[in-house]
Amino acid sequence: MSFFPPSTNHQYRGAKVSVWFLTLSAVLTLIPAAIHSFLPDGGAEVIGGLDLGDRRELVIGLFRWEGATQFALGFAVLAVALRYQALTPLFLALLIVERGLITLHGWVLGPQGGHHPPAHYASAITVVLAGIFLWLSLRPSGKQPAHDVEGTKP
């Protein structure tokens, strides 16, 4: 028994560019994961521009927690992009939900007129791009495998 089940890449019929976008999304999730986990302030002051005030340890703890969840998500997305590409549409949809909520909270439901960290801008752009790549991932790419999963002709 191996750590990873067999690859499902042969079952993916969507646009390959959608897989590349998912790979990029994984990398762009792992970078902030490292920042939130390992920078002394978790990136809260240096990148986020937050005034931590008298709750410094609480804010840094929350940023580290976010970094831990970003590592788990980033590695899961990377596994899909590299070995389980049949799940690409699902993970692009989940990316839209995650980034859509970040955008909603950052621009609509959150405090108005304040500072916006880079993630607020990137999330809004990501929602649009992920929607395009989701659509492409759901369209057959034109090259269909000769056999389905069970090895019989379609």
Side-chain angles (χ1 to χ4, degrees):
M1 176 185 257
S2 78
F3 188 72
F4 289 102
S7 173
T8 63
N9 290 354
H10 65 282
Q11 297 174 13
Y12 178 66
R13 293 183 172 97
K16 204 63 164 167
V17 69
S18 295
V19 174
W20 285 106
F21 178 76
L22 195 62
T23 305
L24 177 63
S25 297
V27 170
L28 294 177
T29 299
L30 292 170
I31 291 170
I35 290 169
H36 294 321
S37 294
F38 301 117
L39 275 183
D41 69 346
E45 290 173 308
V46 175
I47 297 171
L50 297 177
D51 176 13
L52 304 185
D54 62 344
R55 303 303 301 222
R56 178 178 182 80
E57 295 307 314
L58 173 65
V59 173
I60 292 172
L62 289 172
F63 270 65
R64 296 213 191 292
W65 183 6
E66 173 66 12
T69 62
Q70 285 175 315
F71 267 124
L73 175 63
F75 285 127
V77 173
L78 193 59
V80 167
L82 298 178
R83 289 189 53 94
Y84 307 106
Q85 293 173 4
L87 295 173
T88 296
L90 171 64
F91 271 68
L92 287 170
L94 292 172
L95 181 64
I96 292 168
V97 170
E98 180 210 19
R99 292 295 154 171
L101 286 171
I102 291 171
T103 301
L104 180 67
H105 289 292
W107 292 100
V108 178
L109 301 178
Q112 300 302 311
H115 170 75
H116 290 280
H120 287 177
Y121 298 95
S123 292
I125 294 166
T126 301
V127 168
V128 174
L129 291 175
I132 292 167
F133 289 111
L134 172 60
W135 178 72
L136 291 171
S137 74
L138 293 170
R139 297 182 63 217
S141 68
K143 59 176 186 172
Q144 299 297 323
H147 301 284
D148 65 9
V149 178
E150 289 82 29
T152 60
K153 290 193 177 200

